[in-house]
Amino acid sequence: MEARIATLPGDGIGAEVLDESVKILQGIAKTYGHTLSFEDGLIGGCAIDATGTALPEHTLEACRGADGVLLGAVGGPRWADPLAEVRPEEGLLELRQALGLYANLRPVRLYEPLLDASPLRPERLSGVDLVVVRELTGGIYFGPRQEAHKNGGTAFDTMVYTAEEVRRVAHVAFGLAQKRRGKVTSVDKANVLASSRLWRCVVSEVAEEYPDVELEHMLVDAAAMHLLRKPADFDVIVTENMFGDILTDEASMLTGSIGMLPSAWLGEGHGGVFEPIHGSAPDIAGQGVSNPMAAILSGAMLLRYSLGLEAEAQAIERAVEAALDEGYRTPDIHVDGSVLVGSEEMGDVIAERIE
Ligand code: IPM
Ligand code: MG
């Protein structure tokens, strides 16, 4: 197969983790006889420096024309001034909205060799394998907003949902649950928020179309607790934009490190965008010590969801598992007795393990 992939490294460690992901995809292309081409684009802080905007038109066009997009990370202290006119993060938000990618899949899978790397006790973690489906183009991220510094000391953000926005992401969650263990946990704050009460009604309605899937509703504060108390009970979690942002950072620690979590932004009419859920980590950028596994596993998700190459995606996932099994670790997941490697070496180790 022939496919065009847009690569957007962004800021901080974005470029170094993306390099490793591209290396692995090139290895897959060679092994399986595919032709993948890569085109770089600017996004985030580096795009602001070069063009004045976080998502230049040229980048958006490259993404529209690509079969799939691989993204690194954006942001950093240089662009963190709360009074700044443009922010690197706007690049992500605009890209999500422009491409209509409303469903964010964030699989949280514990690789057994990393049981000792998580801050939680191993007996709580065994069997953790869940996916968070985070709504990505609505809610408080996109509702009406007022900045205080422009308007006399009152600021607000608004959480807005239409029934249709809830319905389409609920379908993604139920469809996914059918292929997994058949359970959806819908997370909201229906005891307080009107948008959550709509969310709960619509999700219950959609559930009727999936009699083989069990639905439970959970309040977001309780979900934050149960993620630590009984994480293996979750299968698919579906939730609104900001709740999903927060819960996935929390859930990442079940796997040992946020450097392990890949993600996919999906919608209709575009192949999707794939990115590690970690940020640009300016504190370690340029040192070559970042964990490229989340970016590499995001590449696997691109093969699976944009290109329909399931066997190839699994080959990457197995290679990551093999590297961990053999004890290779970047500093974020390092424990006594493991083999400490940097980003590039980890990429090489994984590349060599692709059958
Ligand atoms: C994420 C990030 C982004 C988000 C930021 C950088 C805008 O935290 O993808 O989880 O909040 O969506
Ligand atoms: Mg986040």
Side-chain angles (χ1 to χ4, degrees), residues 330-351:
T330 43
D332 57 317
I333 47 175
H334 179 62
V335 290
D336 278 350
S338 60
V339 189
L340 188 62
V341 292
S343 344
E344 199 180 334
E345 200 180 346
M346 184 61 107
D348 290 339
V349 166
I350 296 168

Side-chain angles (χ1 to χ4, degrees), residues 41-223:
L42 292 173
I43 194 166
C46 58
I48 292 176
D49 290 349
T51 71
T53 92
L55 180 66
E57 194 54 37
H58 175 264
T59 300
L60 181 56
E61 284 318 308
C63 293
R64 281 195 209 281
D67 297 298
V69 180
L70 207 52
L71 187 92
V74 304
R78 293 187 46 182
W79 307 282
D81 175 5
L83 299 182
E85 281 297 312
V86 270
R87 314 180 57 80
E89 292 77 8
E90 287 165 12
L92 301 187
L93 303 184
E94 286 167 20
L95 187 60
R96 291 166 182 172
Q97 206 169 43
L99 300 178
L101 303 173
Y102 60 84
N104 184 199
L105 268 48
R106 299 189 155 186
V108 180
R109 172 173 165 205
L110 174 75
Y111 287 89
E112 290 286 326
L114 290 185
L115 267 176
D116 52 4
S118 172
L120 269 100
R121 288 208 304 273
E123 63 268 26
R124 301 233 159 170
L125 293 172
S126 194
V128 166
D129 180 8
L130 62 96
V131 182
V132 178
V133 180
R134 168 190 176 194
E135 200 290 327
L136 202 59
T137 53
I140 199 167
Y141 274 48
F142 292 95
R145 156 172 308 150
Q146 176 173 289
E147 302 279 351
H149 61 272
K150 290 182 191 146
N151 204 343
T154 301
F156 60 76
D157 303 276
T158 323
M159 194 182 286
V160 183
Y161 272 107
T162 66
E164 184 45 36
E165 285 174 319
V166 180
R167 186 169 295 120
R168 62 187 186 180
V169 76
H171 277 292
V172 172
F174 283 97
L176 199 61
Q178 276 184 324
K179 293 187 226 136
R180 295 173 46 94
R181 302 197 307 278
K183 181 173 168 193
V184 168
T185 304
S186 174
V187 172
D188 61 35
K189 188 71 184 173
N191 53 348
V192 178
L193 303 175
S195 56
S196 280
R197 288 189 281 273
L198 172 73
W199 181 280
R200 197 172 273 219
C201 290
V202 174
V203 171
S204 296
E205 208 178 283
V206 171
E208 288 171 19
E209 295 176 46
Y210 300 83
D212 50 336
V213 177
E214 178 200 342
L215 168 66
E216 74 178 339
H217 296 284
M218 197 177 277
L219 296 172
V220 63
D221 45 355

Side-chain angles (χ1 to χ4, degrees), residues 106 134 245 249 277:
R106 299 189 155 186
R134 168 190 176 194
D245 177 47
D249 266 37
I277 82 154

Side-chain angles (χ1 to χ4, degrees), residues 235-250:
D235 180 16
V236 175
I237 294 175
V238 63
T239 192
E240 75 86 41
N241 204 339
M242 187 168 69
F243 297 161
D245 177 47
I246 297 168
L247 291 179
T248 48
D249 266 37
E250 183 191 356

